[in-house]
Amino acid sequence: MDLTLDSVFADATERLAEAARNRRHAMHAPVVGTADGDLRIMVLREATADLARLRFHTDLRSAKISLIGESAPVSVLAYDPDARVQLRMRGEGRIEHSGPIADAAWDKAAASSRRCYLAETGPGGALDAAGSAIPEDLLHRAPTIDETLSGRANFAVLLVEVRSLDWLQLTHEGGIRARFRRNDAASPWQGSWIAP
């Protein structure tokens, strides 16, 4: 790769787009952080070319839902160990439970992905014993699409509008790092080289 700010930004967006398409990609399940300092691994479902939107799926009963609501700071950390590239992103998150974005995401989700929204107890809820909260009859098989329909009530989408992107490639010579910032999705990205 020819090292320019444009090529580095393109590298980041291409990695994220491929990670959203390919479940075997190293960046497919980045770490997502909320303002309370809580971190969790989430599956990246979409990354637009300009990073106007990263999309993740989540359970409406999760504690992060009320924390993020219609607007809250969210951070995302993705790492590719083979390329030794780290992407740190910060932006504004929002939760969508109803409407065209959430409906389209639910409609595209496979039955096996929808199964977790059928859990009888939401994320973080108390259980009597170790194990899953998924109904017993669905523990060892994928549900049919019809069997997943009741899970729609628990399904939500986390959208993150990326406002800053930090690209770092670790090397034996000390690494290469660039930072990109913007005020909102309508503003152009401003990039600069920074010390690793």
Side-chain angles (χ1 to χ4, degrees), residues 14 26 29 46 57 61 65 77 80 83 88 91 93 116-117 137 151 168 177-178 190 194:
E14 288 166 15
E46 178 188 25
H57 297 172
R61 300 168 291 179
I65 299 300
L77 172 66
D80 182 336
R88 292 189 308 163
C116 60
Y117 303 104
D137 66 319
L168 171 66
R177 186 174 172 197
Q190 302 296 317
I194 59 175

Short mmCIF file of all heavy atoms in Angstrom, two decimals, residues 14 26 29 46 57 61 65 77 80 83 88 91 93 116-117 137 151 168 177-178 190 194:
data_model
loop_
_atom_site.label_atom_id
_atom_site.label_comp_id
_atom_site.label_asym_id
_atom_site.label_seq_id
_atom_site.Cartn_x
_atom_site.Cartn_y
_atom_site.Cartn_z
N GLU A 14 -12.24 -0.35 3.88
CA GLU A 14 -12.30 -1.64 3.19
C GLU A 14 -12.25 -2.79 4.19
O GLU A 14 -12.96 -3.79 4.04
CB GLU A 14 -11.16 -1.75 2.18
CG GLU A 14 -11.38 -0.88 0.96
CD GLU A 14 -10.13 -0.70 0.11
OE1 GLU A 14 -9.15 -1.47 0.28
OE2 GLU A 14 -10.12 0.22 -0.72
N ALA A 26 -10.94 -10.99 10.72
CA ALA A 26 -10.45 -10.69 12.08
C ALA A 26 -11.22 -9.55 12.75
O ALA A 26 -11.35 -9.52 13.98
CB ALA A 26 -8.97 -10.34 12.02
N ALA A 29 -15.88 -9.10 14.72
CA ALA A 29 -16.49 -8.95 16.05
C ALA A 29 -15.62 -8.00 16.90
O ALA A 29 -14.85 -8.44 17.75
CB ALA A 29 -16.64 -10.30 16.73
N GLU A 46 -22.75 -3.99 9.41
CA GLU A 46 -22.64 -3.09 8.26
C GLU A 46 -21.64 -2.00 8.59
O GLU A 46 -21.55 -1.54 9.72
CB GLU A 46 -24.01 -2.46 7.97
CG GLU A 46 -23.98 -1.46 6.82
CD GLU A 46 -25.29 -0.70 6.67
OE1 GLU A 46 -26.06 -0.55 7.64
OE2 GLU A 46 -25.52 -0.23 5.54
N HIS A 57 -26.34 -5.49 15.86
CA HIS A 57 -27.64 -5.93 16.37
C HIS A 57 -27.51 -6.17 17.87
O HIS A 57 -26.46 -6.58 18.35
CB HIS A 57 -28.08 -7.22 15.68
CG HIS A 57 -28.28 -7.05 14.21
ND1 HIS A 57 -28.53 -8.10 13.36
CD2 HIS A 57 -28.29 -5.93 13.42
CE1 HIS A 57 -28.68 -7.66 12.13
NE2 HIS A 57 -28.52 -6.35 12.14
N ARG A 61 -33.53 -5.63 25.61
CA ARG A 61 -33.54 -5.75 27.08
C ARG A 61 -32.16 -5.52 27.70
O ARG A 61 -32.01 -5.52 28.91
CB ARG A 61 -34.06 -7.13 27.47
CG ARG A 61 -35.48 -7.38 26.96
CD ARG A 61 -35.87 -8.84 27.09
NE ARG A 61 -35.11 -9.65 26.14
CZ ARG A 61 -35.21 -10.97 26.03
NH1 ARG A 61 -36.05 -11.64 26.81
NH2 ARG A 61 -34.50 -11.64 25.15
N ILE A 65 -29.07 -0.33 26.12
CA ILE A 65 -30.16 0.31 25.37
C ILE A 65 -30.55 1.65 25.99
O ILE A 65 -30.60 2.67 25.32
CB ILE A 65 -31.38 -0.63 25.27
CG1 ILE A 65 -31.03 -1.92 24.54
CG2 ILE A 65 -32.55 0.08 24.59
CD1 ILE A 65 -30.53 -1.77 23.13
N LEU A 77 -13.40 -0.81 18.87
CA LEU A 77 -12.00 -1.22 18.70
C LEU A 77 -11.96 -2.50 17.90
O LEU A 77 -12.58 -3.50 18.28
CB LEU A 77 -11.34 -1.44 20.06
CG LEU A 77 -9.93 -2.04 20.05
CD1 LEU A 77 -8.94 -1.09 19.41
CD2 LEU A 77 -9.51 -2.40 21.47
N ASP A 80 -6.72 -6.53 13.52
CA ASP A 80 -6.37 -7.61 12.61
C ASP A 80 -4.95 -8.05 12.96
O ASP A 80 -3.98 -7.36 12.64
CB ASP A 80 -6.44 -7.11 11.16
CG ASP A 80 -6.12 -8.21 10.15
OD1 ASP A 80 -5.43 -9.19 10.49
OD2 ASP A 80 -6.57 -8.08 8.99
N ALA A 83 -2.36 -8.57 9.88
CA ALA A 83 -1.88 -7.32 9.28
C ALA A 83 -1.30 -6.38 10.33
O ALA A 83 -0.65 -5.40 9.98
CB ALA A 83 -3.02 -6.62 8.54
N ARG A 88 -9.30 2.25 16.00
CA ARG A 88 -10.04 2.76 17.16
C ARG A 88 -10.99 3.84 16.64
O ARG A 88 -10.54 4.79 16.00
CB ARG A 88 -9.10 3.34 18.21
CG ARG A 88 -8.27 2.27 18.88
CD ARG A 88 -7.50 2.80 20.05
NE ARG A 88 -6.74 4.00 19.72
CZ ARG A 88 -6.25 4.85 20.62
NH1 ARG A 88 -6.45 4.66 21.90
NH2 ARG A 88 -5.55 5.90 20.23
N GLY A 91 -17.66 7.71 18.23
CA GLY A 91 -18.76 8.38 17.55
C GLY A 91 -19.99 8.47 18.40
O GLY A 91 -19.95 8.22 19.61
N GLY A 93 -23.67 7.03 19.12
CA GLY A 93 -24.50 5.86 18.93
C GLY A 93 -25.96 6.19 19.14
O GLY A 93 -26.30 7.14 19.85
N CYS A 116 -31.22 -15.88 19.38
CA CYS A 116 -30.85 -15.30 20.68
C CYS A 116 -31.90 -14.31 21.20
O CYS A 116 -31.99 -14.08 22.40
CB CYS A 116 -29.47 -14.65 20.62
SG CYS A 116 -29.34 -13.34 19.43
N TYR A 117 -32.73 -13.77 20.32
CA TYR A 117 -33.77 -12.82 20.74
C TYR A 117 -35.01 -13.53 21.28
O TYR A 117 -35.94 -12.88 21.74
CB TYR A 117 -34.12 -11.86 19.59
CG TYR A 117 -32.88 -11.15 19.13
CD1 TYR A 117 -32.24 -11.51 17.95
CD2 TYR A 117 -32.30 -10.15 19.91
CE1 TYR A 117 -31.05 -10.90 17.56
CE2 TYR A 117 -31.12 -9.53 19.52
CZ TYR A 117 -30.51 -9.91 18.35
OH TYR A 117 -29.33 -9.30 17.97
N ASP A 137 -36.39 -26.25 23.86
CA ASP A 137 -36.62 -26.94 22.59
C ASP A 137 -35.81 -26.35 21.43
O ASP A 137 -35.74 -26.94 20.36
CB ASP A 137 -38.11 -26.97 22.25
CG ASP A 137 -38.68 -25.59 21.98
OD1 ASP A 137 -38.33 -24.64 22.71
OD2 ASP A 137 -39.48 -25.46 21.03
N GLY A 151 -39.36 -13.13 18.61
CA GLY A 151 -38.11 -12.49 19.02
C GLY A 151 -37.97 -11.07 18.51
O GLY A 151 -37.15 -10.30 19.03
N LEU A 168 -3.73 2.43 13.19
CA LEU A 168 -2.37 2.13 13.63
C LEU A 168 -1.92 0.81 13.06
O LEU A 168 -2.62 -0.20 13.19
CB LEU A 168 -2.32 2.06 15.17
CG LEU A 168 -1.02 1.55 15.80
CD1 LEU A 168 0.13 2.50 15.54
CD2 LEU A 168 -1.22 1.31 17.29
N ARG A 177 0.91 5.63 12.22
CA ARG A 177 -0.41 5.96 12.79
C ARG A 177 -0.98 7.21 12.13
O ARG A 177 -0.27 8.19 11.89
CB ARG A 177 -0.26 6.18 14.29
CG ARG A 177 -1.56 6.39 15.03
CD ARG A 177 -1.27 6.45 16.52
NE ARG A 177 -2.45 6.81 17.27
CZ ARG A 177 -2.41 7.24 18.53
NH1 ARG A 177 -1.26 7.36 19.17
NH2 ARG A 177 -3.53 7.56 19.14
N ALA A 178 -2.28 7.16 11.86
CA ALA A 178 -3.00 8.31 11.31
C ALA A 178 -4.30 8.49 12.08
O ALA A 178 -4.89 7.52 12.55
CB ALA A 178 -3.29 8.10 9.83
N GLN A 190 -10.97 15.03 8.18
CA GLN A 190 -9.69 15.71 8.24
C GLN A 190 -8.67 14.73 8.82
O GLN A 190 -8.85 14.27 9.95
CB GLN A 190 -9.78 16.96 9.14
CG GLN A 190 -10.83 17.96 8.69
CD GLN A 190 -10.53 18.55 7.34
OE1 GLN A 190 -9.39 18.90 7.03
NE2 GLN A 190 -11.55 18.66 6.49
N ILE A 194 0.16 10.98 13.02
CA ILE A 194 0.53 11.21 14.41
C ILE A 194 1.51 10.14 14.85
O ILE A 194 1.64 9.10 14.21
CB ILE A 194 -0.72 11.24 15.34
CG1 ILE A 194 -1.50 9.93 15.26
CG2 ILE A 194 -1.62 12.42 15.00
CD1 ILE A 194 -2.66 9.86 16.26
#
